[in-house]
């Protein structure tokens, strides 16, 4: 059988791929073995290092998990604020770019491209250093939120714009033909469909926002990772602590991903569900005709 996008590898190519895979696997296993050996030499796998996290009878167990819970709360609060602000500002930017006149569209495009090109860590650091210098005195959490919002809002703006542009042009033309304004067409017809089309991508970007809250450590915001680093300084258990923090992030991100899949299935079923029982309209029309 002939492949469409690539040639089917022959016997010699398959042997090369298999050999390369085996060599790469051996190298990775060797590196992993060296890392584990070094960590074991530093007593990072002893029960004492894990006790504060898994043993309720340990004297530090309650305090450690209380600190982690507080750090997780700070992470979720900052992430929730950044998500909401990014969605709102991103949608507004997308609408402005879609409806702007040519003579000032360059300004909107310039703002979007500027913030897209800057690393999010730079925006967080910039907000925490520059805003206080100009008299904007805010709690430290808001500097993290502002930095995350500045970066992710322009990403969401591009996602929403791509979703609107992916819709059939006939929908816009039909709405304008029945007398709807350009703003009404965008707000009532195009944006709801664009959000449904781009929902998986939007959820993925929200997951990115949640993970990027870990960058709050550069401004000493007590989010989950920063809290874990403080605990490590006192208990000297980096491997157990980072492993636990990683599991917490994986669980939250997995839940968000499953939420995206659930919402996508619900929306797909809603689009496939007919407006009413088959034949009802026809029967009604026949009765009216009689």
């Amino acid at each position: 059988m002939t492949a469409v996008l690539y040639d089917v590898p022959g016997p010699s190519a398959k042997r090369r791929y298999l050999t390369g895979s085996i060599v790469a696997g051996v190298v990775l296993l060797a590196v992993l073995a060296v890392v584990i050996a070094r960590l074991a030499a530093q007593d990072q796998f002893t029960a004492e290092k894990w006790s504060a996290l898994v043993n309720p009878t340990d004297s530090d167990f309650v305090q450690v998990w209380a600190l982690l819970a507080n750090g997780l709360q700070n992470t979720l609060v900052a992430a929730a604020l950044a998500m909401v602000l990014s969605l709102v500002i991103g949608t507004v930017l997308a609408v402005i770019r879609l409806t702007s006149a040519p003579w000032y569209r360059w300004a909107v495009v310039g703002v979007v491209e500027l913030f897209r090109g800057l690393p999010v860590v730079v925006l967080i650091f910039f907000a925490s250093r520059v805003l206080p210098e100009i008299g904007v005195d805010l709690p430290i959490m808001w500097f993290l939120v502002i930095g995350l919002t500045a970066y992710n809002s322009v990403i969401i703006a591009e996602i929403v714009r791509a979703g609107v542009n992916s819709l059939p042009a006939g929908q816009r033309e039909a709405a304008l033909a029945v007398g709807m304004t350009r703003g009404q067409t965008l707000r009532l017809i195009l944006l709801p469909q664009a959000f449904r089309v781009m929902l998986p991508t939007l959820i993925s970007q929200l997951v990115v926002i949640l993970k990027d809250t870990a960058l709050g450590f550069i401004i000493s915001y007590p989010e989950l990772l920063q809290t874990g680093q403080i605990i490590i300084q006192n208990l000297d258990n980096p491997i157990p602590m980072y492993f636990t923090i990683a599991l917490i992030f994986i669980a939250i991100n997995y839940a968000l991903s499953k939420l995206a899949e659930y919402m996508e299935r619900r929306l797909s079923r809603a689009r496939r569900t007919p407006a009413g029982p088959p034949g009802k309209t026809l029967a009604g029309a026949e009765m009216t005709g009689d």
Side-chain angles (χ1 to χ4, degrees), residues 79-100:
L81 289 171
M83 288 175 184
V84 172
L85 292 174
S86 296
L87 284 170
V88 173
I89 297 175
T91 302
V92 171
L93 285 173
V95 170
I96 293 175
R97 184 167 182 179
L98 289 167
T99 59
S100 59

Side-chain angles (χ1 to χ4, degrees), residues 143-191:
F143 298 131
L144 175 62
V145 172
I146 290 171
L148 293 175
T149 302
Y151 178 79
N152 290 281
S153 60
V154 298
I155 303 297
I156 290 176
E158 290 299 283
I159 293 173
V160 174
R161 185 176 69 89
V164 171
N165 289 335
S166 69
L167 300 175
Q171 298 195 25
R172 180 186 292 105
E173 296 168 358
L176 295 174
V178 299
M180 296 180 69
T181 65
R182 194 175 178 183
Q184 289 174 329
T185 301
L186 191 61
R187 186 178 70 255
L188 300 176
I189 305 297
L190 301 180
L191 280 180

